[in-house]
């Protein structure tokens, strides 16, 4: 158990819908990261938040957005869902995650999203 | 680009030693991680290298050569539970974001 929690564990929805995935980082960690893992691709970095502010962005679609709240939990919002959005979505956290530093990222159990 | 290459699959025998290689583009390199991932589960941290050389942690060791853009993960005394995907991930700077390889699926057989 990494100490990172994610809810829900599974989510099944229809195309065109909107969902929210939730993540609570390890106690004391300030950075939260979101990754997408689909069957035909490896883990793809989506976005990082540090202490409430966006820190780095990957290949995140415009239909996707995220935020980190004052209590440091984070939410990933996926809208206008398409079949291709079906994937495992992982959240990770690290102590700092600042430029020119390298912290170990610890991953949550993931949310499996199925879009029908 | 930031290509990270590792073999897709490997098979080894219980009790043996296996080496999983990873190559990456060196520009902006700021550290390399190895993670283990069982199917449908979270990646779990195995090792971290930022300087050249070997890092040993029990049955697992990881080696880095920054000039060659090369790393390997060495697993000794293989056990059936080591059957999993092994992910090489590189921090290319610009924060702490990791770029992952597609993973090496290791199968341990009797």
């Amino acid at each position: 158990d990494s100490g990172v929690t994610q809810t829900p564990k599974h989510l099944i929805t229809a195309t065109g819908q909107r969902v929210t995935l939730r993540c609570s980082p390890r106690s004391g960690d300030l950075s939260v990261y979101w990754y997408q893992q689909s069957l035909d691709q490896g883990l793809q970095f989506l976005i990082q938040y540090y202490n409430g502010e966006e820190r780095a962005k990957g290949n995140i679609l415009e239909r996707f957005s995220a935020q980190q709240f004052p209590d440091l939990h984070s939410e990933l919002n996926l809208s206008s869902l398409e079949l291709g959005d079906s994937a495992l979505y992982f959240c990770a956290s690290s102590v700092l995650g600042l430029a020119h530093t390298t912290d170990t990222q610890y991953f949550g159990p993931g949310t499996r999203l199925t879009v029908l | 680009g930031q290509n990270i290459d590792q073999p897709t699959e490997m098979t080894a025998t219980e009790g043996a030693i296996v080496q999983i290689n990873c190559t990456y583009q060196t520009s902006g390199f700021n550290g390399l991680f190895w993670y283990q991932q069982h199917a449908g589960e979270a990646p779990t941290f195995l090792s971290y290298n930022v300087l050249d050389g070997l890092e040993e942690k029990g049955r697992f060791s990881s080696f880095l050569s920054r000039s060659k853009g090369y790393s390997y993960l060495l697993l000794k005394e293989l056990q059936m539970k080591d059957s999993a995907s092994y992910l090489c991930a590189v921090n290319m700077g610009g924060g702490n974001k990791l770029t992952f390889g597609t993973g090496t699926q290791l199968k341990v057989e009797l």
Side-chain angles (χ1 to χ4, degrees):
Chain A
D1 185 354
S2 67
V4 179
T5 60
Q6 289 186 249
T7 56
K9 205 171 172 71
H10 300 278
L11 201 48
I12 301 175
T13 188
T15 54
Q17 295 298 303
R18 173 190 167 95
V19 297
T20 297
L21 313 183
R22 184 187 167 104
C23 167
S24 291
R26 295 185 320 157
S27 177
D29 284 0
L30 296 178
S31 267
V32 168
Y33 311 77
W34 287 97
Y35 291 86
Q36 179 192 57
Q37 187 176 42
S38 42
L39 275 176
D40 56 347
Q41 292 188 352
L43 274 163
Q44 302 286 321
F45 170 74
L46 295 178
I47 198 163
Q48 175 199 357
Y49 277 82
Y50 168 75
N51 205 21
E53 296 196 0
E54 183 183 303
R55 171 65 62 175
K57 225 170 182 176
N59 295 327
I60 187 167
L61 299 171
E62 282 192 18
R63 300 183 285 110
F64 296 2
S65 65
Q67 54 184 328
Q68 186 180 28
F69 295 87
D71 68 352
L72 301 177
H73 91 271
S74 177
E75 292 181 356
L76 179 68
N77 300 296
L78 315 176
S79 61
S80 303
L81 284 167
E82 302 174 358
L83 295 178
D85 297 328
S86 295
L88 264 170
Y89 290 85
F90 287 104
C91 166
S93 74
S94 74
V95 174
L96 292 176
L98 301 175
H100 310 298
T101 67
T102 301
D103 301 332
T104 299
Q105 295 182 27
Y106 295 92
F107 284 77
T111 293
R112 181 174 293 280
L113 174 67
T114 303
V115 182
L116 300 174
Chain B
Q2 298 175 345
N3 288 343
I4 298 175
D5 293 316
Q6 45 181 139
T8 305
E9 294 178 344
M10 296 183 74
T11 301
T13 305
E14 190 180 35
I17 299 172
V18 71
Q19 177 175 313
I20 302 174
N21 296 325
C22 171
T23 58
Y24 62 91
Q25 293 189 352
T26 58
S27 61
F29 177 80
N30 200 26
L32 185 145
F33 293 84
W34 285 96
Y35 284 84
Q36 180 193 61
Q37 187 179 26
H38 287 97
E41 297 183 9
T44 55
F45 168 70
L46 292 178
S47 69
Y48 167 64
N49 295 72
V50 67
L51 300 176
D52 290 351
L54 190 67
E55 294 283 339
E56 296 188 77
K57 246 188 191 183
R59 294 191 300 117
F60 295 80
S61 304
S62 57
F63 171 82
L64 177 69
S65 168
R66 288 172 296 170
S67 62
K68 294 181 180 173
Y70 168 70
S71 173
Y72 67 73
L73 179 69
L74 196 70
L75 293 80
K76 302 175 192 171
E77 300 168 17
L78 280 171
Q79 302 174 9
M80 298 299 287
K81 67 178 182 179
D82 296 330
S83 293
S85 183
Y86 290 85
L87 310 175
C88 173
V90 179
N91 182 338
M92 293 294 192
N96 204 34
K97 70 177 189 178
L98 295 179
T99 301
F100 280 82
T102 52
T104 298
Q105 188 65 44
L106 174 66
K107 183 178 178 184
V108 180
E109 299 178 327
L110 290 170

